[in-house]
Short mmCIF file of all heavy atoms in Angstrom, two decimals:
data_model
loop_
_atom_site.label_atom_id
_atom_site.label_comp_id
_atom_site.label_asym_id
_atom_site.label_seq_id
_atom_site.Cartn_x
_atom_site.Cartn_y
_atom_site.Cartn_z
N ALA A 835 65.28 116.72 188.10
CA ALA A 835 64.11 117.59 187.94
C ALA A 835 64.37 118.88 188.70
O ALA A 835 65.12 118.89 189.69
CB ALA A 835 62.85 116.91 188.46
N ALA A 836 63.76 119.93 188.21
CA ALA A 836 63.88 121.22 188.89
C ALA A 836 62.53 121.91 188.87
O ALA A 836 61.89 121.99 187.82
CB ALA A 836 64.93 122.09 188.20
N ARG A 837 62.09 122.35 190.04
CA ARG A 837 60.82 123.06 190.14
C ARG A 837 61.08 124.55 189.98
O ARG A 837 61.43 125.26 190.93
CB ARG A 837 60.18 122.78 191.51
CG ARG A 837 59.56 121.41 191.64
CD ARG A 837 58.18 121.36 190.99
NE ARG A 837 57.25 122.28 191.61
CZ ARG A 837 56.46 121.96 192.62
NH1 ARG A 837 56.47 120.74 193.11
NH2 ARG A 837 55.63 122.84 193.13
N LEU A 838 60.91 125.06 188.76
CA LEU A 838 61.17 126.47 188.50
C LEU A 838 60.21 127.37 189.27
O LEU A 838 60.54 128.51 189.63
CB LEU A 838 61.07 126.77 187.01
CG LEU A 838 62.36 126.57 186.19
CD1 LEU A 838 62.87 125.14 186.29
CD2 LEU A 838 62.16 126.94 184.72
N ASP A 839 59.00 126.87 189.51
CA ASP A 839 58.04 127.68 190.24
C ASP A 839 58.49 127.93 191.69
O ASP A 839 58.09 128.91 192.31
CB ASP A 839 56.67 127.01 190.24
CG ASP A 839 56.73 125.61 190.82
OD1 ASP A 839 57.43 124.76 190.24
OD2 ASP A 839 56.11 125.37 191.88
N GLN A 840 59.35 127.04 192.21
CA GLN A 840 59.84 127.21 193.57
C GLN A 840 60.99 128.22 193.64
O GLN A 840 61.40 128.62 194.72
CB GLN A 840 60.37 125.87 194.12
CG GLN A 840 59.35 124.77 194.14
CD GLN A 840 58.43 124.83 195.34
OE1 GLN A 840 57.98 125.90 195.74
NE2 GLN A 840 58.15 123.69 195.93
N MET A 841 61.55 128.55 192.47
CA MET A 841 62.71 129.43 192.45
C MET A 841 62.31 130.90 192.40
O MET A 841 63.17 131.78 192.43
CB MET A 841 63.59 129.12 191.24
CG MET A 841 64.11 127.71 191.20
SD MET A 841 65.05 127.46 189.68
CE MET A 841 65.16 125.69 189.62
N GLY A 842 61.02 131.16 192.22
CA GLY A 842 60.58 132.53 192.15
C GLY A 842 60.87 133.20 190.83
O GLY A 842 60.84 134.42 190.72
N ILE A 843 61.14 132.43 189.82
CA ILE A 843 61.45 133.04 188.52
C ILE A 843 60.30 132.89 187.53
O ILE A 843 60.38 133.36 186.41
CB ILE A 843 62.72 132.41 187.91
CG1 ILE A 843 62.53 130.90 187.73
CG2 ILE A 843 63.94 132.71 188.77
CD1 ILE A 843 63.67 130.24 186.99
N MET A 844 59.25 132.20 187.91
CA MET A 844 58.13 132.01 187.00
C MET A 844 57.01 132.98 187.35
O MET A 844 56.82 133.33 188.52
CB MET A 844 57.59 130.57 187.13
CG MET A 844 58.60 129.50 186.80
SD MET A 844 59.20 129.60 185.10
CE MET A 844 57.73 129.18 184.20
N PRO A 845 56.26 133.44 186.36
CA PRO A 845 55.11 134.29 186.64
C PRO A 845 54.14 133.57 187.57
O PRO A 845 54.10 132.34 187.64
CB PRO A 845 54.49 134.51 185.26
CG PRO A 845 55.59 134.24 184.29
CD PRO A 845 56.45 133.21 184.93
N GLY A 846 53.33 134.37 188.24
CA GLY A 846 52.44 133.82 189.24
C GLY A 846 51.37 132.90 188.71
O GLY A 846 50.76 132.15 189.47
#
Side-chain angles (χ1 to χ4, degrees):
Chain A
R837 285 280 298 269
L838 272 59
D839 57 297
Q840 301 278 42
M841 300 177 195
I843 59 173
M844 300 299 293

